């Protein structure tokens, strides 16, 4: 059983449409994926329906843009009720912040001698409601300013980089509460990936675990080297946190993130399912009647 609990579609910053993502999972022999687009549930219904046709179990997930003292933290929510009003309102606020900063970033690109016409950017955004820096990176690649997303981030778009403009992100504690109140299970994505462990220290993870608001941490992730994985796994074990693994697949948008390059143990998924059921969430969606 191969279980990949963190993937993206073109509904956020992945490059595969939801159906194509699920088809790729089927082709690659992946049994279970969670679709965790950034700050939107919009791809779930189509992905779940495609999974039912293709024999892939597609779980309801999301990756929420959160922050702790201004440091970006990505919060995975599994099995949230997607019509929960408080969560929906907060996600809308984040998406507004995503759209709202785009003019300022385009202005910075222009001033840096790399104009990106809005219509070029919009082609990469497509009908995603959750515009992100990777869409800008894709436009910059087309215009010949950079060769891939990584270079775009390393030189220009990364937090604190010359083109970066901040945006609203949910305070971490509030994000944890929103996930829980929507019936979901909360897992911090790649905690010691781009964010160092100084910024998200063991003491903070310990407090969140002790408060009962955090369910787990994503350990097996491409942004964690083997020693980081070992330390995080040991910490999680001591704190009673679940540990997950995933690809953080973005299609062609991220190299070395092939589906199921990291996986989650079936026992961990079973525990996530039990917690979602106990909290009144929904981990596996039903296809809408119209599909
Ligand atoms: P944003 O959603 O606008 O905050 O942009 C963050 C997203 O950019 C993350 O979810 C990643 O998918 C992507 N990202 C961050 N750093 C890199 C990188 N070095 N190469 C490719 N994608 C990246
Ligand atoms: Mn992303
Ligand atoms: Mn992330
Ligand atoms: Mn992700």
């Amino acid at each position: 059983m191969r279980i990949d609990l963190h993937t993206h579609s073109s509904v956020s910053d992945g490059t595969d449409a939801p159906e194509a993502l699920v088809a790729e999972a089927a082709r690659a022999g992946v049994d279970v994926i969670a679709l965790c687009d950034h700050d939107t549930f919009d791809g779930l219904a189509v992905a779940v329906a495609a999974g039912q046709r293709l024999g892939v179990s597609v779980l309801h997930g999301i990756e929420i843009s959160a922050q702790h003292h201004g440091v970006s933290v990505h919060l995975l929510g599994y099995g949230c009720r997607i019509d929960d009003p408080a969560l929906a309102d907060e996600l809308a606020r984040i998406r507004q912040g995503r759209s709202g900063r785009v003019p300022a970033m385009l202005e910075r690109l222009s001033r840096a001698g790399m104009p990106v016409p809005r219509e070029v950017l919009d082609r990469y955004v497509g009908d995603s409601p959750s515009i992100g820096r990777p869409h800008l990176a894709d436009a910059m690649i087309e215009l010949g300013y950079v060769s891939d997303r990584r270079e775009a981030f390393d030189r220009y778009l990364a937090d604190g980089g010359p083109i970066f403009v901040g945006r609203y992100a949910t305070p971490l504690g509030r994000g944890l509460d929103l996930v829980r109140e929507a019936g979901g299970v909360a897992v911090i994505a790649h905690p010691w990936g781009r964010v160092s462990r100084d910024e998200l220290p063991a003491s903070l993870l310990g407090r969140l675990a002790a408060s009962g608001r955090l369910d787990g941490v994503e350990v097996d992730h491409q942004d964690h080297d083997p020693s980081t994985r070992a330390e995080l796994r040991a910490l999680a074990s001591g704190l009673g946190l679940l540990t997950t693994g995933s690809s953080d697949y973005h299609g062609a948008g991220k190299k070395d993130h092939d589906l199921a390059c990291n996986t989650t143990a079936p026992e961990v998924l079973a525990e996530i399912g039990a917690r979602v059921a106990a909290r009144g969430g929904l981990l596996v969606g039903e296809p809408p009647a119209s599909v």
Side-chain angles (χ1 to χ4, degrees), residues 242-257:
L242 301 174
T243 58
T244 65
S246 78
S247 62
D248 202 0
Y249 177 79
H250 281 68
K254 260 189 189 171
K255 293 172 186 133
D256 306 319
H257 285 252

Side-chain angles (χ1 to χ4, degrees), residues 8 13 38 134 250 254:
H8 294 272
D13 59 7
H38 298 283
H250 281 68
K254 260 189 189 171

Side-chain angles (χ1 to χ4, degrees), residues 76-236:
L76 297 165
Y78 296 110
C80 297
R81 290 184 302 275
I82 65 177
D83 57 355
D84 180 87
L87 181 54
D89 278 1
E90 183 66 10
L91 296 176
R93 185 172 176 191
I94 299 170
R95 293 194 304 266
Q96 257 169 28
R98 288 177 164 282
S99 308
R101 72 168 164 183
V102 169
M105 291 185 81
L106 291 178
E107 176 62 30
R108 286 188 182 216
L109 280 165
S110 268
R111 270 194 265 129
M114 296 179 287
V116 172
R118 184 75 210 208
E119 51 287 9
V120 175
L121 173 60
D122 285 345
R123 244 187 298 118
Y124 291 98
V125 176
D127 50 15
S128 168
S130 186
I131 183 168
R133 284 172 281 173
H135 299 120
L136 264 181
D138 290 346
M140 292 169 74
I141 296 166
E142 176 181 317
L143 294 164
Y145 304 143
V146 290
S147 59
D148 59 17
R149 284 187 181 184
R150 172 163 294 178
E151 185 188 354
F153 271 86
D154 288 349
R155 295 179 63 184
Y156 304 113
L157 300 177
D159 289 24
I163 306 300
F164 173 72
V165 175
R167 63 169 162 83
Y168 176 75
T170 305
L172 179 57
R174 169 122 177 95
L176 293 171
D177 291 343
L178 284 168
V179 168
R180 177 66 63 94
E181 286 157 17
V185 162
V187 172
I188 294 184
H190 45 73
W192 290 343
R194 271 181 258 285
V195 164
S196 80
R197 67 189 71 183
D198 298 336
E199 293 168 305
L200 205 59
S203 56
L204 172 64
L205 295 174
R207 282 200 304 283
L208 296 173
S211 74
R213 297 195 293 174
L214 177 64
D215 292 286
V217 285
E218 189 179 52
V219 170
D220 289 309
H221 185 280
Q222 296 302 78
D223 290 352
H224 292 155
D225 64 24
S227 69
T228 300
R229 294 181 191 205
E231 286 172 61
L232 195 50
R233 201 183 313 283
L235 174 68

